[in-house]
Amino acid sequence: KFHGSGHVYFSLKDEKSRINCFLPSDRAVQIGRALQEGMEIIASGYIYLYERGGSYSLNVTDLEKAGQGELAIAFEKLKQKLAKEGLFDQEHKKLIPAFPHKVAIVTSETGAAVRDILKIIQKKNNCVDVLVYPVLVQGPGAPQQIADAIRDLSENYPDVDTIITGRGGGSMEELWAFNEEIVARSIYESKIPVISAVGHETDFTIADFVADLRAETPTAAADLAVPDTGLIHEDLEFYRKEMMRSLELLVEKKKRRMALCSMENFERDIRGRIAMEQMRIGHMAEQMKQQLLAKEENCRSRLELLRETVEAADPNRILQKGYTILRDEEGNVILDVAALRKDQDVSLEGAGGFAEAKVVSARKKAGKKAEKR
């Protein structure tokens, strides 16, 4: 009984006995709605004594379907085993083709999963081929059929690019075929990339860990397996328009360049360049002229200075001032008159000519020790 307060009242019984149970509302929100009459469960809780009525009941704190505990242990055990062997390693994952030509679906041909996958693929992509490989997805023979189908596709269908394997949602027991080791190893050994799509978003199976890609649902697997040809066409149309626009701009640019190459433009350009060169040469000539004039003036000034220096040092000009050059018999200039000897023949050179003379006497100037010769 689901009480209006949110509490759940029910009874547990076996072949010999029966006990009333109480599930409080805070726990019932999480686990109570899954209860059904006739369901076999394992309940955990504490014994409560109703003193007034003298009856005992079980106040439930947790419960699970019978058998689920054993399945969870088996799941973790196989998961750890395959993980140690490296079946889950990322380095073994194969890339899912971006543009597959053929996709194979390994699932029940009557289930909702295959209908959902086909619906999405047909809606998204009208180019890819689809091969449905029917198998059992639950029950004793399901694991072997799933494994055999994946191996058969890998070995005998080279035209298949991607394999999708999975089924719709269900209980842990119903999904258990995809937790079997034989299925996990067939996925790992497949040469074709495998997408695992088992149950709902919260369901995880061993096949999900081994597969090259895990999809949350079969519908999501179809989305991942094929590209959207409508979007591709839109992208291609966008790129076509961009290419046309770029091509038109390029052609217009080339036309402008061709127009600049006409004889009229070429002549105008040449005349303009000639005029610019003439102006540049005229400017350079004027600069060179000014530089030459400056150098000429500088040389003239230096020459005049040198001329004045030479003229100032010209002996003739000195002689014109009344000075005389005195030479001995050999023509040597006598620098010290006091050194002359009496009766020594000398020659005189003045401004107007030459004269011969004989020394009568020679002496030093006053202030020096007189010595007459």
Side-chain angles (χ1 to χ4, degrees), residues 151-333:
R151 290 195 177 98
D152 186 25
L153 289 168
S154 178
E155 295 173 3
N156 301 315
Y157 290 80
D159 56 338
V160 172
D161 302 300
T162 306
I163 298 174
I164 300 175
T165 184
R167 53 156 295 157
S171 65
M172 193 172 189
E173 292 91 340
E174 292 171 334
L175 303 180
W176 192 255
F178 294 92
N179 287 322
E180 293 289 350
E181 183 174 356
I182 187 173
V183 174
R185 294 196 180 278
S186 69
I187 294 174
Y188 178 76
E189 294 166 0
S190 173
K191 301 173 185 177
I192 303 171
V194 178
I195 300 176
S196 174
V198 182
H200 300 300
E201 182 178 351
T202 57
D203 296 322
F204 279 89
T205 64
I206 297 297
D208 294 328
F209 295 108
V210 183
D212 300 294
L213 182 64
R214 184 234 174 198
E216 298 172 348
T217 62
T219 301
D223 268 328
L224 295 171
V226 298
D228 191 330
T229 52
L231 293 178
I232 293 175
H233 289 155
E234 291 178 5
D235 290 341
L236 290 175
E237 180 62 18
F238 171 78
Y239 292 131
R240 185 191 68 81
K241 291 180 178 179
E242 285 296 307
M243 290 175 65
M244 288 298 296
R245 188 175 68 86
S246 299
L247 186 59
E248 289 172 357
L249 291 175
L250 180 61
V251 170
E252 185 63 27
K253 182 179 178 181
K254 296 296 184 182
K255 284 182 178 179
R256 290 195 298 267
R257 294 188 65 181
M258 288 294 293
L260 293 175
C261 293
S262 66
M263 290 304 298
E264 181 180 352
N265 290 331
F266 181 73
E267 180 181 0
R268 183 167 56 250
D269 182 61
I270 291 296
R271 290 182 180 278
R273 292 189 180 186
I274 291 174
M276 290 295 294
E277 287 298 316
Q278 287 176 339
M279 291 176 60
R280 188 178 68 84
I281 293 171
H283 179 67
M284 290 177 61
E286 183 63 26
Q287 285 185 328
M288 293 176 65
K289 179 180 178 182
Q290 295 299 326
Q291 291 175 358
L292 289 173
L293 290 174
K295 288 185 176 182
E296 180 182 4
E297 183 62 28
N298 183 45
C299 289
R300 184 180 289 108
S301 299
R302 291 179 62 188
L303 184 61
E304 181 63 25
L305 180 61
L306 289 173
R307 185 187 64 77
E308 292 177 357
T309 303
V310 170
E311 288 180 353
D314 186 0
N316 291 324
R317 298 190 64 180
I318 297 174
L319 294 178
Q320 289 176 0
K321 294 179 180 180
Y323 292 97
T324 302
I325 299 175
L326 182 64
R327 291 185 175 86
D328 61 13
E329 300 90 335
E330 297 176 355
N332 298 320
V333 177

Side-chain angles (χ1 to χ4, degrees), residues 12 34 89 105 166 271 313:
L12 286 178
D89 292 350
I105 306 172
R271 290 182 180 278

